[in-house]
PDB file of all heavy atoms in Angstrom:
ATOM      1  N   SER I  77     216.748 177.225  54.942  1.00 96.00           N
ATOM      2  CA  SER I  77     216.718 178.015  53.651  1.00 96.00           C
ATOM      3  C   SER I  77     215.965 179.279  53.917  1.00 96.00           C
ATOM      4  O   SER I  77     214.745 179.308  53.999  1.00 96.00           O
ATOM      5  CB  SER I  77     216.051 177.217  52.587  1.00 96.00           C
ATOM      6  OG  SER I  77     216.731 176.036  52.202  1.00 96.00           O
ATOM      7  N   VAL I  78     216.644 180.359  54.078  1.00 96.00           N
ATOM      8  CA  VAL I  78     216.105 181.679  54.421  1.00 96.00           C
ATOM      9  C   VAL I  78     216.462 182.650  53.335  1.00 96.00           C
ATOM     10  O   VAL I  78     217.624 182.718  52.906  1.00 96.00           O
ATOM     11  CB  VAL I  78     216.603 182.173  55.817  1.00 96.00           C
ATOM     12  CG1 VAL I  78     216.058 183.554  56.079  1.00 96.00           C
ATOM     13  CG2 VAL I  78     216.316 181.138  56.869  1.00 96.00           C
ATOM     14  N   THR I  79     215.454 183.356  52.899  1.00 96.00           N
ATOM     15  CA  THR I  79     215.613 184.423  51.854  1.00 96.00           C
ATOM     16  C   THR I  79     215.121 185.721  52.437  1.00 96.00           C
ATOM     17  O   THR I  79     214.067 185.837  53.018  1.00 96.00           O
ATOM     18  CB  THR I  79     214.896 184.046  50.618  1.00 96.00           C
ATOM     19  OG1 THR I  79     215.270 182.830  50.125  1.00 96.00           O
ATOM     20  CG2 THR I  79     215.081 185.133  49.533  1.00 96.00           C
ATOM     21  N   VAL I  80     215.996 186.804  52.254  1.00 96.00           N
ATOM     22  CA  VAL I  80     215.615 188.154  52.663  1.00 96.00           C
ATOM     23  C   VAL I  80     215.783 189.030  51.496  1.00 96.00           C
ATOM     24  O   VAL I  80     216.874 189.186  50.982  1.00 96.00           O
ATOM     25  CB  VAL I  80     216.504 188.623  53.851  1.00 96.00           C
ATOM     26  CG1 VAL I  80     216.096 190.005  54.243  1.00 96.00           C
ATOM     27  CG2 VAL I  80     216.301 187.747  55.022  1.00 96.00           C
ATOM     28  N   ILE I  81     214.714 189.749  51.068  1.00 96.00           N
ATOM     29  CA  ILE I  81     214.730 190.665  50.006  1.00 96.00           C
ATOM     30  C   ILE I  81     214.592 192.046  50.580  1.00 96.00           C
ATOM     31  O   ILE I  81     213.429 192.422  50.978  1.00 96.00           O
ATOM     32  CB  ILE I  81     213.589 190.315  48.960  1.00 96.00           C
ATOM     33  CG1 ILE I  81     213.734 188.904  48.496  1.00 96.00           C
ATOM     34  CG2 ILE I  81     213.706 191.271  47.752  1.00 96.00           C
ATOM     35  CD1 ILE I  81     212.563 188.411  47.751  1.00 96.00           C
ATOM     36  N   ASP I  82     215.637 192.776  50.693  1.00 95.00           N
ATOM     37  CA  ASP I  82     215.667 194.050  51.414  1.00 95.00           C
ATOM     38  C   ASP I  82     215.091 195.198  50.550  1.00 95.00           C
ATOM     39  O   ASP I  82     214.819 195.030  49.343  1.00 95.00           O
ATOM     40  CB  ASP I  82     216.984 194.355  52.037  1.00 95.00           C
ATOM     41  CG  ASP I  82     218.113 194.488  51.058  1.00 95.00           C
ATOM     42  OD1 ASP I  82     217.739 194.698  49.795  1.00 95.00           O
ATOM     43  OD2 ASP I  82     219.254 194.442  51.385  1.00 95.00           O
ATOM     44  N   ARG I  83     214.997 196.380  51.098  1.00 95.00           N
ATOM     45  CA  ARG I  83     214.471 197.477  50.460  1.00 95.00           C
ATOM     46  C   ARG I  83     215.310 197.933  49.237  1.00 95.00           C
ATOM     47  O   ARG I  83     214.669 198.264  48.166  1.00 95.00           O
ATOM     48  CB  ARG I  83     214.396 198.701  51.436  1.00 95.00           C
ATOM     49  CG  ARG I  83     213.749 199.970  50.871  1.00 95.00           C
ATOM     50  CD  ARG I  83     212.268 199.846  50.662  1.00 95.00           C
ATOM     51  NE  ARG I  83     211.845 200.202  49.386  1.00 95.00           N
ATOM     52  CZ  ARG I  83     210.612 199.995  48.860  1.00 95.00           C
ATOM     53  NH1 ARG I  83     209.727 199.274  49.543  1.00 95.00           N
ATOM     54  NH2 ARG I  83     210.313 200.423  47.644  1.00 95.00           N
ATOM     55  N   ASP I  84     216.607 197.892  49.339  1.00 94.00           N
ATOM     56  CA  ASP I  84     217.427 198.218  48.191  1.00 94.00           C
ATOM     57  C   ASP I  84     217.216 197.313  47.048  1.00 94.00           C
ATOM     58  O   ASP I  84     217.265 197.725  45.890  1.00 94.00           O
ATOM     59  CB  ASP I  84     218.885 198.212  48.640  1.00 94.00           C
ATOM     60  CG  ASP I  84     219.274 199.306  49.588  1.00 94.00           C
ATOM     61  OD1 ASP I  84     218.546 200.336  49.583  1.00 94.00           O
ATOM     62  OD2 ASP I  84     220.314 199.242  50.313  1.00 94.00           O
ATOM     63  N   THR I  85     217.083 196.036  47.301  1.00 95.00           N
ATOM     64  CA  THR I  85     216.875 195.034  46.260  1.00 95.00           C
ATOM     65  C   THR I  85     215.486 195.277  45.630  1.00 95.00           C
ATOM     66  O   THR I  85     215.318 195.161  44.425  1.00 95.00           O
ATOM     67  CB  THR I  85     216.960 193.609  46.874  1.00 95.00           C
ATOM     68  OG1 THR I  85     218.290 193.415  47.431  1.00 95.00           O
ATOM     69  CG2 THR I  85     216.751 192.549  45.783  1.00 95.00           C
ATOM     70  N   LEU I  86     214.434 195.573  46.420  1.00 96.00           N
ATOM     71  CA  LEU I  86     213.126 195.825  45.866  1.00 96.00           C
ATOM     72  C   LEU I  86     213.147 196.974  44.855  1.00 96.00           C
ATOM     73  O   LEU I  86     212.556 196.906  43.828  1.00 96.00           O
ATOM     74  CB  LEU I  86     212.151 196.085  46.993  1.00 96.00           C
ATOM     75  CG  LEU I  86     211.822 194.981  47.973  1.00 96.00           C
ATOM     76  CD1 LEU I  86     210.912 195.520  49.164  1.00 96.00           C
ATOM     77  CD2 LEU I  86     211.099 193.843  47.312  1.00 96.00           C
TER      78      LEU I  86
END
Side-chain angles (χ1 to χ4, degrees):
S77 295
V78 176
T79 303
V80 179
I81 307 168
D82 61 17
R83 184 71 228 169
D84 290 340
T85 302
L86 293 173

